[in-house]
Amino acid sequence: MLAVENLKVRYGEAEALADVSLHILPGEIVSVVGANGAGKTTLIRTIAGMVKAAQGRVVFDGQDITGLDSTGVCELGIAQVPEGRQIFPSLSVVENLRLGATLRRAQADRKQNLSRVYETFPRLAERQKQLAGTLSGGEQQMLAIGRALMANPRLVMFDEPSLGLSPILTEEMFGVVSSLHDSGFSVVLVEQNVVESLELCDRAYVLETGNIALEGDGKALLGDDRVRQAYLGL
Ligand code: ATP
């Protein structure tokens, strides 16, 4: 479904991604784990068309999408739930959700997608008119996920969705990712909760200073000594 080939990204002199190749098959959850500054957000932002690659390609459904802007990438069916949520605090819940559906690809299914978001997150349905900035942290995260779903995506990329959430809400959030996967979405998951993230995914990549250091089955990586030492402190 998605292939990233030899991606290199620089911010001025600093190299954030050196030479990254990975792929996502239809319906897979693929986790990307790595230390702070390893390049996880840069990877997501480059796929999403928000950061330009210095070298390499991103291919979606056989189409080269390298260099496409973020609207163009969304129109093809790739949505992201960005780090820090980035919702509009002074707009209501429903207004934020509608903003997720301004794409051409989202128009026809707008009503159906809104119902699905409210079914997935009843809390948002109860608070449709409430200003997004007054929602709790967990509710804001639900809203960010809901907004991504309004874009009618086939691939959803999550950047640190559990950031700032309590352990209970973190569990809930992993449940939501899992149910999206069950309903057929493909998922890229960047998460600090390495254990949960590797348990949930089909496959994973470990990113270290802009390079893929390890890849494989999530549960196998959980048993890998290097992963256990570097990320689990074992
Ligand atoms: P974290 O887990 O801390 O969010 P990350 O793995 O997502 O980290 P990135 O945010 O992709 O890492 O950053 C990769 C490298 O690129 C870091 O060294 C970071 O300082 C640098 N970087 C990121 N954004 C910029 C920018 N806009 N300008 C300059 N350097 C940047």
Side-chain angles (χ1 to χ4, degrees):
M1 177 177 235
L2 183 86
V4 169
E5 299 170 358
N6 306 109
L7 207 59
K8 185 194 281 289
V9 175
R10 289 200 190 95
Y11 297 108
E13 292 295 293
E15 191 173 73
L17 297 181
D19 181 7
V20 169
S21 296
L22 51 83
H23 66 274
I24 292 132
L25 300 173
E28 269 192 323
I29 299 189
V30 170
S31 287
V32 179
V33 299
N36 289 335
K40 306 177 298 292
T41 298
T42 300
L43 174 65
I44 285 196
R45 290 172 63 87
T46 310
I47 296 170
M50 301 169 78
V51 171
K52 291 267 172 280
Q55 200 180 293
R57 297 203 307 161
V58 181
V59 179
F60 184 60
D61 275 345
Q63 180 182 345
D64 187 341
I65 63 165
T66 327
L68 216 58
D69 65 15
S70 52
T71 309
V73 172
C74 284
E75 282 289 2
L76 292 174
I78 301 178
Q80 63 159 329
V81 181
E83 189 174 10
R85 297 149 200 163
Q86 297 176 20
I87 53 166
F88 295 96
S90 56
L91 297 181
S92 70
V93 166
V94 69
E95 285 165 341
N96 268 277
L97 291 174
R98 286 202 186 114
L99 279 177
T102 52
L103 299 165
R104 268 194 311 278
R105 73 171 283 119
Q107 298 290 319
D109 295 325
R110 220 167 85 149
K111 279 208 175 112
Q112 195 184 322
N113 285 335
L114 189 61
S115 308
R116 191 173 59 183
V117 168
Y118 287 150
E119 266 166 41
T120 311
F121 303 113
R123 196 86 69 85
L124 295 183
E126 289 161 15
R127 291 160 191 275
Q128 293 176 41
K129 299 273 161 56
Q130 187 171 328
L131 292 186
T134 65
L135 295 173
S136 72
E139 289 162 353
Q140 290 188 12
Q141 186 61 57
M142 293 173 198
L143 181 57
I145 299 173
R147 187 183 52 186
L149 296 180
M150 290 297 291
N152 213 19
R154 294 170 49 224
L155 172 67
V156 186
M157 301 191 291
F158 290 88
D159 194 357
E160 305 286 3
S162 76
L163 203 69
L165 299 187
S166 67
I168 288 174
L169 285 177
T170 298
E171 278 312 303
E172 215 173 276
M173 197 281 310
F174 275 108
V176 167
V177 173
S178 175
S179 72
L180 290 180
H181 174 240
D182 293 343
S183 16
F185 290 93
S186 306
V187 173
V188 175
L189 180 61
V190 165
E191 251 296 323
Q192 298 276 0
N193 286 289
V194 174
V195 174
E196 289 85 345
S197 170
L198 291 181
E199 276 173 351
L200 180 66
C201 70
D202 296 305
R203 287 185 307 112
Y205 294 89
V206 179
L207 202 51
E208 275 177 12
T209 55
N211 287 290
I212 302 290
L214 291 167
E215 63 178 283
D217 175 86
K219 293 197 181 64
L221 283 179
L222 262 181
D224 184 286
D225 282 344
R226 282 167 295 177
V227 172
R228 291 165 68 81
Q229 279 168 17
Y231 302 103
L232 310 178
L234 300 171

